Every structure is written in C-alpha cells, then in structure tokens.
Amino acid sequence: MKSRIFFVAACTFFLTTSITFGYEATFEPRISVGTEYTDNLFLEDSSEENEWITTISPSFKADIRGKKSGAKISYDPSYAFYDDYDEFDHWRHRARLSGWAELSKNTRLNVNDYFLYTEDPLSISDIAPVRVEDPDETIDTTLRKTRKTYYRNTARINLSHQFGEFDAFNIGYKHYFLENDLSIYEDKQTHNPYADLTYWFTYRWGVNIGASYTKGDRDDSDDYDFILSNARLLRRFSKRLNGFVQLGYGNLDYDGNSEDAEGYDVRAGFDYTISKDTFMSVAAGYAWLDRDRSSNESAPSVGVRIKKTLKKGVIYLTGSGGYKDPTSGAESLGVREYYEAGTSVRYEFTRYLSGNAFASYRYDDYLEETPAREDKTTKAGLGLNFQVLKWMSLGLDYTFRTVDSDRSLEEYDENRVFFEISLFPTRPFRTSRY
C-alpha cells in the first residue's frame, strides 16, 4: 500500500507539472514470450531438481518530458508457467519510476521508485554484479531458496542545489520495505534520511561532508538505529585529477539484546578522468569495529570503480570491501565484513546484434552469526540480443551462480538459460503539446 501511494503521488506530481508547461511524450508497448531452464530449482547442494518455466509478459515504457520536468515509467508484469511444479505458477511484477523537476536554475528534485513482486529467489537485479542503471535500488546479497512470493520496494526523493561552480548540497530520504509470504523470512523496512555538502574554499582545496540516519524496523529481530557520517578533504591537482583523504564513523544501536557496535574507516584515494571516455575512482584504507561484548575487529577497506566507454559499448570494473551495517534482504544476518569485485561489459556488434557479459566474486563474513558463517559467492553470465525484424527481437541469456559456505545448507550451484521472443511497434507512439 505504501509503495502504491508513493508511486501514484510521484506520477501525479511529475506528469501534471510536465503537461502544464507543455510536453513531449512517448509510449512503447511490448509483448514477450520466454522459456527458462534451471538445473537447480530449489537451490540445493544435493537432490537438484531441474525445471522449465515459460513466461508471458505484456509490458510498456512511457516517457514524458517538459521544459523543466519529466518522468519515465516502465511496468513489466509476467505470468510464469512451471512445467512440473505448477503449484508455483504465479504473476510477477516489476515497476520503475524516475522523475525530475528543475525548481530553479540551480535546484533540482529527483524521485525514484523500484517495485518487485515475484516468487523467483534470484531477481535480475540481484544477479548482476554492477548496478549501472539503478544504483539506488536495494540489492539482496543474502540467500533465498524457496519459491514462495515476496515483494519489496525502494523509494527515494532527493533535492540538490548548486550554489557555486563546484559547490553543491543534497538532502534526501530513502525508504525500503520487504514483505514475505513465508514466515521463515523476516518482514522489514528501513527509513533513511541523508544529507551531504561539497564546498571548495579555493580552486585547489575543498571538503565533502555527509551524514545519514537509518531506522531499521524488523518483525522478529531487534530494531536498530544506524548513524553514518564522513568527512573528506579534497585536493584538486588538475582539471582531471582530484585526491582526497576521508574519515568515516558509524554507530549501530539495537533496541534489544543484540550487540551494539561503532566503527571508524580511514581512507585515501583519487578520482581521475584519464580521457574523455575513461574514468577511474580508487580509495583504500583501514577500518576498525568496536563491539560491546565481543572482541574488536579491524580490516582493510577499499573502493574501486573504473568506466571505459567504447565506440559501441561500455566496460565497468568495480571493487569494494570493509564493514557493512545489517542487511535488508531475505536473511537478517547483522554486521558483516565483505569484499567483492565485479566486471560488466555491454557491446553492439552490429546495428542489430548486441551482447553483454558479467562476472563477480564476493566474500561475506557475518560477525554476529553463531556458529561462525562465511559465504563465498561467484556469479557469471552472457547474453545476446538479435533484432531480426523491425518489430521483433530474440534474446538468449546464460547465468551461473555458486555459493560456498561454512554451512552446508547454504551451498549450491545453479545454471540458468533463458530464451525470449519480443514483439513491439516499429516506432514508439509519440504526442506533444507546446
């Protein structure tokens, strides 16, 4: 219900604003039929069950743009037919909204909403290692194995204002919730207001200061409050190269008997625009975790992001590591030490044939779990899309995922192959008024 209210309110605001001052709108319907094969339907370490799943999806994308505002909406409902396990036949829903409004020359309002309803334990966004299209969408890195339905929603509103050539501040609020049909998985939600400021005292020296507060409400586990703040000293060496040193602080306070903790993270790094089509951001340092009852922890912390734009594609390389606050996914596992690395490639071979590939590795050490639990997750995938006609395309995707864990019940390997035929109009429907 909360997601519907936010979605409707956001649509009403941005669509009304755009239409009032004139607009240009496009609408693109699509219908797709797909077949998926999995060799491990229930994600088990043994007694693996294979299955064929057929999906039918009538979907659409809509885009409306005005002089000072705009919105994009996509809705992808689909019905899944299971070959052997027809008791899992079910509707799936995925909806996305992004809207923006220029309130003044230097002030901008952005709204995003992502909704997912499915019985598939591994959604598309959870499999991909690099969040390029929707970096604010909450990704579930924990393990879900059942085919019972669940739904989740991530909504964010952000106001940004630029008050100098390089000076700006942002304030925002992010809300997330997860509801499960199966009681072994916990329903939860988080409220997350945040703010940050970037200010350059001189051309060479500046600061970035940020803070956020997260209120975590969980049905069965302890609720918590998490405060995160950071201060970064900036140094501009050239138009293409900025360096920085950063101090971060986090405080985790549970309402019940779970163990409270606070942490510090010191890093140094740089942002470097190597060329007009290559960007690199690197940071490295050390983090300390001070827990109330258990022994204190320390570990290296790192963050890497590289983007290379090709003539007909793009390559991403990412890496990160350190400590993470309690997860918001299927499992409630508390604070963890993690390290992950991933790469993603998209490339257009011809006008009608494009492909993508990805691979990633992640290590998770869940510090609040007894007995100790460490997970190692490897993911990889390949995809091809071929537009055979102006109104029809074919898609073929392969994904692989393996989990190696201290707990044998969590381990599994899975291979998936998905083939899809999509039909769509040769041109989107367009209308405008000025």
Side-chain angles (χ1 to χ4, degrees), residues 153-284:
N153 190 83
T154 305
R156 183 177 70 92
I157 183 169
N158 181 80
L159 180 69
S160 61
H161 177 70
Q162 185 172 348
F163 58 94
E165 184 178 2
F166 304 107
D167 309 322
F169 72 82
N170 295 277
I171 56 174
Y173 169 76
K174 184 176 179 180
H175 177 258
Y176 166 82
F177 73 82
L178 171 67
E179 299 283 346
N180 302 278
D181 282 356
L182 193 62
S183 59
I184 64 171
Y185 297 117
E186 187 173 31
D187 298 339
K188 59 192 69 174
Q189 65 174 323
T190 59
H191 302 270
N192 175 217
Y194 61 89
D196 70 81
L197 168 71
T198 299
Y199 181 71
W200 290 85
F201 301 104
T202 67
Y203 179 79
R204 296 292 181 186
W205 293 96
V207 293
N208 174 260
I209 302 171
S212 68
Y213 166 73
T214 301
K215 174 63 176 177
D217 297 325
R218 304 186 290 188
D219 281 2
D220 302 319
S221 305
D222 293 335
D223 296 340
Y224 64 90
D225 299 283
F226 179 66
I227 297 174
L228 180 65
S229 60
N230 64 78
R232 178 180 289 191
L233 177 65
L234 307 172
R235 172 69 161 90
R236 181 181 287 114
F237 295 98
S238 69
K239 290 183 179 181
R240 293 185 174 184
L241 177 63
N242 290 341
F244 61 85
V245 292
Q246 174 181 306
L247 171 63
Y249 170 76
N251 185 284
L252 176 63
D253 182 15
Y254 287 103
D255 288 350
N257 295 323
S258 299
E259 189 172 12
D260 299 337
E262 63 179 354
Y264 301 87
D265 188 341
V266 178
R267 298 187 185 190
F270 61 87
D271 298 326
Y272 184 30
T273 303
I274 301 173
S275 64
K276 65 178 182 179
D277 54 15
T278 306
F279 173 79
M280 173 187 295
S281 178
V282 176

Side-chain angles (χ1 to χ4, degrees), residues 70-215:
K72 291 183 179 181
I73 304 170
S74 66
Y75 177 45
D76 299 275
S78 62
Y79 196 83
F81 299 90
Y82 285 72
D83 187 31
D84 293 327
Y85 295 87
D86 56 7
E87 64 269 26
F88 297 128
D89 292 358
H90 215 281
W91 277 102
R92 299 171 178 175
H93 301 274
R94 177 182 292 271
R96 301 185 181 188
L97 163 72
S98 62
W100 58 272
E102 293 183 359
L103 305 182
S104 68
K105 181 180 178 180
N106 298 314
T107 306
R108 184 183 177 96
L109 179 69
N110 289 282
V111 171
N112 296 278
D113 190 89
Y114 312 93
F115 176 78
L116 174 68
Y117 177 89
T118 184
E119 87 295 343
D120 188 347
L122 299 176
S123 71
I124 296 173
S125 56
D126 295 337
I127 292 176
V130 181
R131 291 179 286 174
V132 177
E133 309 228 343
D134 303 308
D136 294 310
E137 183 176 5
T138 301
I139 304 301
D140 188 356
T141 58
T142 63
L143 302 181
R144 180 189 296 270
K145 289 193 171 186
T146 71
R147 289 275 166 170
K148 293 293 184 178
T149 55
Y150 63 95
Y151 61 98
R152 67 187 189 213
N153 190 83
T154 305
R156 183 177 70 92
I157 183 169
N158 181 80
L159 180 69
S160 61
H161 177 70
Q162 185 172 348
F163 58 94
E165 184 178 2
F166 304 107
D167 309 322
F169 72 82
N170 295 277
I171 56 174
Y173 169 76
K174 184 176 179 180
H175 177 258
Y176 166 82
F177 73 82
L178 171 67
E179 299 283 346
N180 302 278
D181 282 356
L182 193 62
S183 59
I184 64 171
Y185 297 117
E186 187 173 31
D187 298 339
K188 59 192 69 174
Q189 65 174 323
T190 59
H191 302 270
N192 175 217
Y194 61 89
D196 70 81
L197 168 71
T198 299
Y199 181 71
W200 290 85
F201 301 104
T202 67
Y203 179 79
R204 296 292 181 186
W205 293 96
V207 293
N208 174 260
I209 302 171
S212 68
Y213 166 73
T214 301
K215 174 63 176 177

Side-chain angles (χ1 to χ4, degrees), residues 290-315:
D290 183 4
R291 298 191 286 174
D292 281 358
R293 298 188 295 271
S294 304
S295 59
N296 297 336
E297 304 273 350
S298 63
S301 62
V302 63
V304 177
R305 182 176 176 84
I306 301 173
K307 179 182 178 181
K308 172 67 175 179
T309 303
L310 308 173
K311 184 177 181 180
K312 295 184 177 182
V314 62
I315 301 173

